[in-house]
């Protein structure tokens, strides 16, 4: 297996993040493109009024608002102030909590979530082990973890590389197992017109 086929799951961890007018523009694009993934995520974990959802890397908040529409309490977490400003702007009723944080450091209490998901952001995490340990800390026993990433091809470059190959999806699943998550599965799905990988797991 060559290096292009064996990339780490966080192969864009060096991404500088989003800020300023360009960041705002990207956020608006993400809001439009993120709705199918938001619906898919909510369907896959079966979000209901019994849930408290934490969205790691929430961006402009499409998936958080979808969780709230299905009755859940929800918190959106993102490191980029510009994304959180957009998220608040498009959630004027105050139904969602928003907070600054990263996958590796979420300013919420232990066992405060029944669902933790990260949609199209794990490939940007600085430290995947730390991010998964943080997800485990946030989840109640039996809580559900979900990561969704666009399907990419080995050797893809530029924007086309932002996502996971099958090998990367499997590698993330194996990391989940090694850190104590149970019932870990990898599935191929459609989010609108996009082919995506979804890795789900349960906190013991």
């Amino acid at each position: 297996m060559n290096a292009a086929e064996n990339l780490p799951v966080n192969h864009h961890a060096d991404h500088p993040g989003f800020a300023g007018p360009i960041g705002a523009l990207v956020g608006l694009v993400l809001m439009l493109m993120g709705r199918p993934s938001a619906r898919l995520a909510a369907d896959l974990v079966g979000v209901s009024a019994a849930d408290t959802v934490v969205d790691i890397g929430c961006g402009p908040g499409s998936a958080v608002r979808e969780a709230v529409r299905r009755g859940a309490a929800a918190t959106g977490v993102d490191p980029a102030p510009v994304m959180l400003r957009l998220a608040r702007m498009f959630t004027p009723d105050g139904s969602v909590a928003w907070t600054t944080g990263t996958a590796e450091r979420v300013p919420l209490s232990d066992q405060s979530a029944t669902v933790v998901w990260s949609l199209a952001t794990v490939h940007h995490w600085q430290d995947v082990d730390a991010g998964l340990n943080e997800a485990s800390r946030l989840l109640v026993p039996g809580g559900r973890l979900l990561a969704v990433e666009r399907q990419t091809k080995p050797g893809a470059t530029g924007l086309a590389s932002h996502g996971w190959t099958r090998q990367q999806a499997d590698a993330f699943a194996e990391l989940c197992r090694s850190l104590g998550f149970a019932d870990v599965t990898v599935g191929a799905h459609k989010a609108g017109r996009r082919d995506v990988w979804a890795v789900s797991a349960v906190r013991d």
Side-chain angles (χ1 to χ4, degrees), residues 29-30 33-34 36-37 40 120 123 148-152 159-160 162-163 188-197:
V29 172
L30 290 175
M33 294 176 59
S37 289
L40 174 66
H123 69 281
V148 176
E149 292 280 353
R150 180 175 63 171
Q151 292 185 21
T152 61
L159 289 175
H162 283 257
H189 298 273
K190 282 280 190 183
R193 296 181 179 181
R194 285 191 168 194
D195 295 310
V196 299
W197 298 114

Side-chain angles (χ1 to χ4, degrees), residues 47-55 63-76 94-98 108 112-117 144:
V47 169
S48 74
D51 284 312
T52 299
V53 177
V54 175
D55 184 339
V64 185
R65 287 186 291 274
E66 182 65 27
V68 170
R69 276 192 289 272
R70 300 190 187 206
T75 298
S95 59
V96 176
W98 308 100
L108 297 174
S112 57
T114 60
V115 174
V116 171
W117 66 36
R144 293 100 77 201

Side-chain angles (χ1 to χ4, degrees), residues 50-139:
D51 284 312
T52 299
V53 177
V54 175
D55 184 339
I56 306 298
C58 66
S62 295
V64 185
R65 287 186 291 274
E66 182 65 27
V68 170
R69 276 192 289 272
R70 300 190 187 206
T75 298
V77 181
D78 202 279
V82 67
M83 292 297 177
L84 294 176
R85 283 196 296 272
L86 283 172
R88 291 186 177 100
M89 183 186 307
F90 287 95
T91 319
D93 61 359
S95 59
V96 176
W98 308 100
T99 188
T100 303
T102 65
E104 301 82 6
R105 184 171 295 181
V106 178
L108 297 174
S109 302
D110 294 359
Q111 297 189 17
S112 57
T114 60
V115 174
V116 171
W117 66 36
S118 187
L119 313 182
T121 60
V122 176
H123 69 281
H124 289 302
W125 288 8
Q126 293 293 308
D127 185 326
V128 179
D129 283 10
L132 284 173
N133 282 323
E134 189 72 338
S136 181
R137 180 187 70 79
L138 292 168
L139 285 166

Side-chain angles (χ1 to χ4, degrees), residues 2 4-7 152-157 164-168:
N2 63 40
E5 295 172 329
N6 198 29
L7 289 171
T152 61
K153 296 180 179 179
T157 60
W164 281 343
T165 63
R166 177 62 197 241
Q167 178 271 325
Q168 288 172 303

